[in-house]
């Protein structure tokens, strides 16, 4: 079955959603060890979370890019994730979604979260026709993410390396079998209203 164009797909349970981020070992290793972000994690900066493992691999080059060598799977509470969506604005102006550019700019300035839809990726990191959610958290949203919403943090760098090795050896079936099982997230339509371009 073909994936919906703008749909949240994620590993999720009845109470949590898993998102991915990549950091330098200086941030990533203590975060995974302690199950929370260290004091060195800047809570006053925009941080982007991604429910798509393969989009994270595309972004961090299979954990090979500088300062992105540690890939974290961050399990957050669904209440927090949905708060972020409810308080989000599209990261770019879209005629037809926003009445005008000035309204969008005003909304963007007020919103603690931003939504961006980027092409989902396949195992070779080529773009697919459907989109993957990126959620930018700033201000209150970033602080809540780090200090309230986080349930657990796991270092999935070894998994990234293992899957990448299988892809390099053209063993795509074995690589696919190791991927996290991302399913459509049952977000109420009103959560995504105004967030689909």
């Amino acid at each position: 079955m073909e994936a919906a164009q703008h749909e949240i797909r994620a590993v999720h349970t009845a109470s949590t959603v898993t998102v991915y981020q990549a950091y330098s070992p200086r941030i990533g290793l203590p975060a995974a060890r302690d199950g929370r972000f260290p004091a060195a994690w800047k809570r006053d900066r925009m941080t982007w979370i991604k429910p798509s493992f393969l989009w994270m691999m595309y972004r961090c080059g299979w954990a090979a890019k500088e300062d992105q060598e540690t890939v974290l799977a961050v399990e957050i509470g669904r209440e927090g994730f949905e708060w972020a969506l409810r308080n989000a604005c599209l990261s770019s102006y879209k005629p037809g979604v926003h009445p005008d550019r000035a309204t969008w700019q005003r909304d963007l300035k007020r919103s603690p979260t931003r939504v961006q839809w980027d092409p989902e990726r396949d195992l070779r990191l080529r773009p697919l026709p459907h989109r993957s959610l990126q959620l930018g958290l700033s201000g209150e949203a970033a602080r809540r993410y780090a200090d309230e919403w986080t349930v657990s943090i796991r270092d999935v760098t070894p998994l990234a390396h293992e899957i990448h090795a299988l892809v390099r050896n053209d063993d795509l079936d074995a690589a696919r079998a190791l991927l996290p099982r991302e399913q459509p997230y049952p977000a109420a339509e009103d959560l995504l209203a105004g967030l689909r371009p």
Side-chain angles (χ1 to χ4, degrees), residues 9 32 48 74 82 86 105 115 125 153-154 175 183 190 197:
R9 286 169 296 277
W48 289 86
V74 183
E82 292 181 9
R86 262 194 307 279
Q105 286 174 327
V115 161
L125 307 185
I153 302 177
R154 289 179 298 116
Q183 302 290 331
D190 63 314

Side-chain angles (χ1 to χ4, degrees), residues 8-20 49-51 73-82 133 145 149 151-152 185-186:
I8 301 170
R9 286 169 296 277
V11 172
H12 55 85
T13 69
S15 59
T16 65
V17 185
T18 298
V19 295
Y20 300 95
I49 59 176
K50 304 144 185 78
V74 183
E75 198 178 17
I76 62 174
R78 275 171 71 154
E79 280 181 23
F81 183 68
E82 292 181 9
L133 174 82
Y145 169 67
W149 302 344
V151 174
S152 71
Y185 182 76

Side-chain angles (χ1 to χ4, degrees), residues 115-157:
V115 161
Q116 198 167 293
W117 296 95
D118 295 303
E120 182 58 278
R121 301 285 158 167
D122 68 10
L123 277 164
R124 297 199 189 279
L125 307 185
R126 297 171 301 204
L128 292 168
H130 57 281
R131 300 271 162 165
S132 177
L133 174 82
Q134 322 302 321
L135 200 51
L137 311 176
S138 66
E140 181 185 0
R143 291 189 295 276
R144 285 182 174 219
Y145 169 67
D147 300 323
E148 295 174 26
W149 302 344
T150 300
V151 174
S152 71
I153 302 177
R154 289 179 298 116
D155 182 352
V156 290
T157 314

Side-chain angles (χ1 to χ4, degrees), residues 2 13 22-23 26 39 42 46 62 66-67 71 97 100 108 111 123 127 132-133 140-141 147 153 167 176 188 190:
E2 196 175 314
T13 69
Y23 290 102
R26 184 177 65 85
K42 291 186 170 44
M46 172 82 71
W62 295 104
E66 188 177 359
D67 289 334
V71 181
V97 174
D100 52 57
L108 190 66
S111 300
L123 277 164
S132 177
L133 174 82
E140 181 185 0
D147 300 323
I153 302 177
V167 171
R176 200 170 290 110
D190 63 314

Side-chain angles (χ1 to χ4, degrees), residues 45 89 91 121 158 183:
R45 283 176 52 185
C89 177
S91 62
R121 301 285 158 167
Q183 302 290 331

